[in-house]
């Protein structure tokens, strides 16, 4: 007997392997990206020295590495989890096949069958394709955040290179401190006066690190001979607020937005594929004020669904009464499609299953009630 015959057709086993491979692929991509970041930092420090601006860029790269490494570790753990489930399911099915028993039933989240393709004037098949719209929108948002991230990094590198060029080719003079600003929040600054030819100029210098200065203290400064107002100290690049905003704000926006937008894009792509496999199944749903959904399929069976991190929330349909909707997908990649009045397009809400599909109990109740009635008749006796 071929114990492996039919095992790969087990739906649970295929789902576990598919989810494992997705997490493993994501982990691989994140690991490669974090390796590229580390490699870039190593190459940048190959000469053994770093200016203050380069240190800032390295700090941003370190943050980017952490934002890539943490999801990589998370997806690796999830891949190991789904791989363990796949092995357990394979062992259960193989044991049942070897002993001639029936394998444990696979968990399901929608009733069997292809689901509905149309309802009145609503083309449900087209609604499956429309799930690609939020996926493409999330992909576009990811690209925007990537552009912001790249722009912030490029501006930081450019600012660092400009500061290093001034440090290497500028005119070095001795300046005197005539004012010191030490706010409780924000950057410390010093106002200095320094000679430019036969004249004296004044400038404010932003300090990279907070350190004490005394009025009248002499400090070395470097200014640009073509633009004497552009000045710095050997330790401080004196980046302006405009330059700092062009570097920091896009970098922070990119660092914060890329992971969430990319996660949303991948999630919608997976939901699109899952609903294509299962189709839409009509159900009567009750939405709680917290976004929890209790669905009873018209084809039989019940399921409990919970919300996921998304801008599309089910709470807008929490009317306190049951309503018609369609459910598709499986496990953590499910979607509830709510119809809307006024000719508006149906609204798709991403959800995840908190319980597998429970079979209908109507027939068991009928058998129980019939058995009870027969027992009562026996107790009452003839006549």
């Amino acid at each position: 007997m071929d114990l492996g015959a039919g095992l790969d057709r087990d739906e649970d086993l295929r789902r576990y392997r598919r989810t494992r491979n997705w997490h493993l692929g994501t982990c691989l991509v994140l690991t490669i990206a974090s390796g590229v970041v580390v490699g870039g930092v190593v190459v940048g420090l190959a000469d053994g020295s770093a200016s203050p601006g380069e240190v800032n860029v390295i700090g941003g790269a370190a943050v980017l590495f952490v934002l890539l490494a943490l999801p990589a570790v998370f997806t690796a753990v999830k891949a190991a989890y789904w791989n363990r489930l796949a092995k357990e399911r394979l062992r259960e099915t193989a044991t049942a096949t070897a002993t001639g028993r029936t394998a444990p039933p696979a968990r399901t989240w929608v009733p069997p069958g292809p689901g509905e393709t149309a309802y009145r004037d609503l083309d449900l098949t087209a609604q499956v394709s429309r799930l690609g719209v939020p996926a493409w929108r999330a992909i576009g948002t990811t690209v925007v955040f990537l552009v912001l991230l790249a722009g912030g990094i490029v501006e930081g590198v450019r600012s660092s290179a400009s500061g290093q060029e001034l440090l290497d080719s500028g005119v070095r003079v001795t300046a005197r401190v005539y004012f010191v600003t030490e706010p409780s929040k924000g950057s410390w600054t010093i106002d200095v006066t320094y000679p430019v030819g036969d004249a004296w100029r004044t400038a404010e210098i932003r300090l990279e690190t907070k350190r004490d200065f005394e009025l009248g203290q002499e400090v070395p400064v470097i200014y640009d001979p073509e633009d004497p107002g552009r000045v710095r100290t050997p330790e401080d690049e004196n980046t302006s607020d405009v330059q700092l905003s062009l570097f920091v704000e896009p970098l922070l926006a990119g660092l914060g937005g890329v992971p969430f937008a990319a996660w949303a894009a991948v999630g919608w792509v997976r939901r699109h594929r899952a609903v294509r496999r299962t189709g839409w199944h009509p159900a009567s749903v009750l939405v709680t004020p917290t976004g929890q959904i209790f669905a009873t399929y018209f084809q039989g069976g019940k399921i409990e669904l919970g919300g996921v991190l998304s801008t599309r929330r089910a709470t807008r349909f929490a009317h306190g009464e049951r309503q018609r909707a369609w459910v598709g997908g499986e496990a953590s990649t499910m979607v509830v499609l709510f119809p809307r009045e006024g000719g508006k397009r149906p609204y798709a809400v991403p959800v995840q299953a908190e319980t597998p599909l429970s079979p209908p109990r109507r027939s068991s109740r009928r058998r129980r009630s019939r058995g009870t009635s027969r027992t009562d008749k026996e107790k009452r006796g003839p006549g």
Side-chain angles (χ1 to χ4, degrees):
M1 179 187 299
D2 184 8
L3 298 181
L7 295 183
D8 288 341
R9 292 193 297 271
D10 183 81
E11 187 60 31
D12 268 0
L13 181 60
R14 294 174 60 186
R15 180 172 54 254
Y16 294 156
R17 286 176 172 175
R18 185 169 58 243
T19 309
R20 175 202 61 189
N21 294 341
W22 180 84
H23 282 96
L24 194 59
T26 304
C27 176
L28 181 61
V29 171
L30 292 171
T31 302
I32 293 175
S34 59
V36 170
V37 172
V38 173
V41 173
V42 171
V43 171
L45 297 177
D47 58 356
S49 62
S51 67
E54 289 173 336
V55 172
N56 292 336
V57 175
I58 292 171
V63 174
L64 178 60
F65 170 77
V66 172
L67 290 177
L68 290 171
L70 289 179
V73 173
F74 171 77
T75 51
V77 172
K78 297 292 287 185
Y81 167 77
W82 287 103
N83 185 61
R84 185 174 69 254
L85 290 182
K87 288 184 176 180
E88 292 176 355
R89 180 64 182 178
L90 181 61
R91 184 167 55 251
E92 292 175 355
T93 309
T95 302
T97 303
T99 57
R101 297 196 305 261
T102 303
R107 289 187 296 176
T108 58
W109 289 269
V110 295
E116 288 188 352
T117 59
Y119 175 73
R120 295 181 180 175
D121 58 347
L122 179 61
D123 185 359
L124 293 174
T125 303
Q127 298 305 316
V128 177
S129 301
R130 280 190 55 81
L131 292 179
V133 175
W136 281 110
R137 187 180 296 121
I139 291 173
T141 304
T142 304
V143 172
V144 171
F145 281 119
L146 282 173
V147 171
L148 289 175
L149 178 61
I153 294 175
V154 169
E155 179 61 27
V157 172
R158 190 199 66 79
S159 177
S160 175
S162 177
Q164 185 64 37
E165 180 184 3
L166 177 59
L167 183 64
D168 296 337
S169 60
V171 179
R172 294 175 177 263
V173 294
T174 300
R176 290 184 179 275
V177 178
Y178 72 89
F179 194 77
V180 179
T181 303
E182 300 178 354
S184 57
K185 296 182 180 180
S187 302
W188 288 17
T189 61
I190 56 174
D191 289 352
V192 298
T193 177
Y194 56 98
V196 178
D198 297 332
W200 286 80
R201 296 190 62 132
T202 60
E204 181 185 71
I205 298 178
R206 184 195 301 269
L207 303 180
E208 299 285 345
T209 58
K210 296 179 180 180
R211 54 191 188 277
D212 295 327
F213 285 90
E214 296 180 358
L215 297 180
Q217 179 179 340
E218 294 184 347
V219 295
V221 298
I222 304 99
Y223 70 86
D224 187 350
E226 297 181 359
D227 183 10
R230 182 166 166 253
V231 62
R232 60 166 295 172
T233 70
E235 298 83 11
D236 311 291
E237 286 192 1
N238 193 25
T239 306
S240 67
D241 291 335
V242 175
Q243 290 176 317
L244 197 63
S245 63
L246 290 175
F247 161 56
V248 175
E249 293 178 4
L251 184 64
L252 292 179
L255 290 175
V258 166
F260 292 103
W263 187 264
V266 173
W268 278 110
V269 169
R270 295 182 65 209
R271 294 183 193 101
H272 183 205
R273 295 178 58 186
V275 176
R276 286 179 61 184
R277 287 192 297 268
T278 64
W280 295 114
H281 294 264
S284 172
V285 301
L286 176 65
V287 184
T288 68
T290 59
Q292 198 171 19
I293 302 175
F294 298 93
T296 301
Y297 291 106
F298 294 165
Q299 298 161 285
K302 298 180 180 180
I303 190 171
E304 186 175 333
L305 306 169
V308 298
L309 182 61
S310 174
T311 57
R312 293 171 172 253
R313 309 296 296 175
T315 50
R316 62 188 300 176
F317 299 97
H319 306 315
E321 57 185 15
R322 287 193 168 272
Q323 53 194 305
R324 184 186 181 96
W326 292 268
V327 183
E330 56 188 20
S332 61
T333 56
M334 300 193 70
V335 180
V336 178
L337 187 69
F338 291 93
R340 294 191 292 179
E341 298 178 354
K344 296 181 179 179
R345 291 175 176 174
Y347 192 79
V349 177
V351 294
Q352 62 182 0
E354 297 186 354
T355 61
L357 176 65
S358 60
R361 301 178 181 178
R362 185 179 303 171
S363 59
S364 62
R365 290 196 189 101
R366 288 178 178 175
R367 285 195 297 270
R368 192 182 305 116
S369 62
R370 290 172 182 172
T372 303
S373 62
R374 284 197 300 269
T375 303
D376 293 340
K377 289 181 179 179
E378 292 172 359
K379 288 182 178 179
R380 288 196 297 268

